[in-house]
Amino acid sequence: MVGQGSPGSPDGGEGGWLEAAPEFAHARELWERGEFWEVHEALEPLWMRLEGERREAVHGLILLAAALHKARSSPTGGWRNFAKALRHLEGLPGVYAGLDLSETVAEVWRALERPGYRPRLCRASP
């Protein structure tokens, strides 16, 4: 599961690099509209450029979006992608790169449990 973050480090020590990426800004807009396959497509070029835990974080977000998309036609497929996302996000702080990953994961879980629930992509609290 996604960690709880480090005391005194609200972003896991990584700053707002993700929020500054144009691909992420576009992906956030798509997420808010419920266009989850398009979120995956918007983030993929960013994911391909990254390395290390930044790459894992974006890969996890891509898989969360894929889970939401897939759940529309196959709840089992949605849960499968959710489990894959957790494997990429485990070991990261709960708050990372300006996002509250723990709360975002909880939001996606709620959406998979309750079709029709609109999950939020959660920003970290200041």
Side-chain angles (χ1 to χ4, degrees):
M1 187 56 141
V2 179
Q4 296 302 310
S6 306
S9 180
D11 60 8
E14 286 294 316
W17 64 267
L18 186 58
E19 290 281 350
E23 297 94 340
F24 182 75
H26 182 58
R28 178 182 288 288
E29 292 171 9
L30 294 166
W31 185 292
E32 290 171 0
R33 293 197 304 252
E35 297 176 24
F36 299 112
W37 180 255
E38 291 79 6
V39 169
H40 165 275
E41 294 293 314
L43 288 176
E44 194 166 295
L46 176 62
W47 169 73
M48 292 175 68
R49 290 195 313 268
L50 296 172
E51 296 178 2
E53 72 179 18
R54 289 180 177 196
R55 183 177 174 97
E56 290 299 310
V58 173
H59 198 173
L61 292 173
I62 287 170
L63 286 165
L64 289 176
L68 293 165
H69 172 75
K70 185 67 174 174
R72 293 175 175 164
S73 62
S74 169
T76 302
W79 284 109
R80 191 175 308 119
N81 279 331
F82 181 76
K84 290 178 189 176
L86 293 182
R87 287 194 297 271
H88 288 279
L89 297 172
E90 69 184 6
L92 294 176
V95 174
Y96 181 81
L99 290 180
D100 187 331
L101 292 177
S102 294
E103 189 57 33
T104 297
V105 166
E107 285 282 309
V108 173
W109 184 87
R110 281 186 207 78
L112 294 174
E113 281 284 310
R114 297 185 291 197
Y117 179 82
R118 193 70 164 256
R120 296 174 300 121
L121 185 58
C122 303
R123 284 191 166 104
S125 299

